[in-house]
Amino acid sequence: MNHATLLLIKFAAALIAFGIGIDLFFDATIGDIISFSLLTTILTYLVVDRIVLPRVGNRDAIIVEFVLTYMSVWIFGTLLLDSYVQIAWGSIISAAIITFAEVFVHRYLSNHIETKNIARARPAFKRKLAYDTEFAEEQHVENKENPK
């Protein structure tokens, strides 16, 4: 039930975003808007909400969400719609609206749906990089100008 509610919220946000972003620049049909919404809802749910969010956190997941939404709409929009430059602007506007909505979706996800505590306890990579330097004295230093 919780995942179905989450998918409905994501789908409604995508419908609104693509209704504004794509229909603003194109004479897009309702079929185009629903297909883009369904594609990005399923894609971002599987990749971002199920894989990226539990491993790297909210901020990085939102960045991945923006890039994934922008690229998927731009690529499929250039195949289905006519203008290359206009679909880029429509993709940016749609991705920005969806990213704004995803802040609330991720908050809902963290409060109402259980995530794996193991993944949160162990991050996938170290946030702080430790650099070590080794200093040593040379044992056999030779003068190259005056060899012995």
Side-chain angles (χ1 to χ4, degrees):
M1 178 69 180
N2 289 334
H3 292 283
T5 306
L6 179 71
L7 285 171
L8 283 175
I9 292 170
K10 287 176 76 73
F11 185 70
L15 276 175
I16 293 169
F18 293 131
I20 293 170
I22 292 179
D23 202 29
L24 181 68
F25 290 102
F26 296 100
D27 189 24
T29 64
I30 192 72
D32 291 336
I33 293 171
I34 290 174
S35 64
F36 281 121
S37 300
L38 193 61
L39 171 76
T40 57
T41 299
I42 292 171
L43 189 65
T44 58
Y45 176 74
L46 292 176
V47 173
V48 177
D49 294 339
R50 300 294 288 174
I51 297 171
V52 175
L53 181 64
R55 286 178 175 77
V56 297
N58 190 24
R59 184 187 62 190
D60 296 334
I62 287 178
I63 293 170
V64 170
E65 185 106 32
F66 178 82
V67 170
L68 188 65
T69 302
Y70 174 71
M71 294 302 292
S72 64
V73 173
W74 194 15
I75 290 170
F76 290 113
T78 55
L79 296 175
L80 297 176
L81 303 171
D82 296 329
S83 179
Y84 184 74
V85 174
Q86 286 180 340
I87 194 64
W89 282 107
S91 299
I92 289 173
I93 292 171
S94 300
I97 293 170
I98 289 175
T99 302
F100 178 73
E102 284 300 317
V103 171
F104 300 107
V105 170
H106 289 174
R107 187 176 299 157
Y108 174 82
L109 187 66
S110 66
N111 290 338
H112 291 92
I113 297 176
E114 294 180 21
T115 56
K116 295 179 182 178
N117 293 331
I118 297 168
R120 289 186 186 265
R122 275 187 311 159
F125 57 90
K126 292 182 181 181
R127 295 273 181 185
K128 291 184 177 181
L129 299 175
Y131 296 106
D132 291 333
T133 304
E134 182 177 323
F135 294 101
E137 293 183 18
E138 299 294 329
Q139 297 295 326
H140 303 287
V141 179
E142 295 180 14
N143 189 355
K144 291 185 180 181
E145 295 175 5
N146 297 324
K148 293 184 181 178

